[in-house]
Amino acid sequence: MSETETGAAPDVRTEEPRDYAAGLKYTVGALFWGWILLRWLNDWFGGVLVPRGQAFVPPSTFAALADSVPLFAGSSTPSRSPSSSSRTW
């Protein structure tokens, strides 16, 4: 007798769709908290990895990265338009 004759459903296994947004959320959270904890522990132990108060990564690295992205290029210093500075309230 086959399974269809006994009334049992065939064994069909479907894979659940992967939730990449949840994985990204946990990865970003783990990176953020890992960075914060590493920074705090470094300062607490007196600067084991880098001297206390000094940046882990030089700020010039982030400035160069921001300048390489067209959306952020040139936005590191605030600019005012000539018309906004001549207003009197």
Side-chain angles (χ1 to χ4, degrees), residues 54-69 76:
Q54 183 177 344
F56 276 8
V57 180
S60 60
T61 304
F62 293 108
L65 182 66
D67 287 339
S68 68
V69 177
S76 59

Side-chain angles (χ1 to χ4, degrees), residues 2 7 15 28 32 39-40 48 50 53 58 60 66 71 87:
S2 70
E15 187 174 321
V28 169
F32 172 77
R39 182 73 217 182
W40 287 342
V48 176
V50 296
S60 60
L71 180 65
R87 291 183 185 166

Side-chain angles (χ1 to χ4, degrees), residues 2-88:
S2 70
E3 288 184 11
T4 55
E5 291 176 353
T6 62
D11 187 19
V12 178
R13 296 180 187 193
T14 58
E15 187 174 321
E16 293 290 324
R18 292 188 175 138
D19 189 9
Y20 290 109
L24 180 64
K25 178 175 54 174
Y26 289 120
T27 302
V28 169
L31 287 172
F32 172 77
W33 285 109
W35 179 270
I36 291 292
L37 289 174
L38 182 64
R39 182 73 217 182
W40 287 342
L41 289 173
N42 180 68
D43 287 346
W44 190 45
F45 286 120
V48 176
L49 301 174
V50 296
R52 283 181 109 177
Q54 183 177 344
F56 276 8
V57 180
S60 60
T61 304
F62 293 108
L65 182 66
D67 287 339
S68 68
V69 177
L71 180 65
F72 302 124
S75 66
S76 59
T77 57
S79 62
R80 299 181 79 186
S81 64
S83 62
S84 65
S85 63
S86 63
R87 291 183 185 166
T88 57

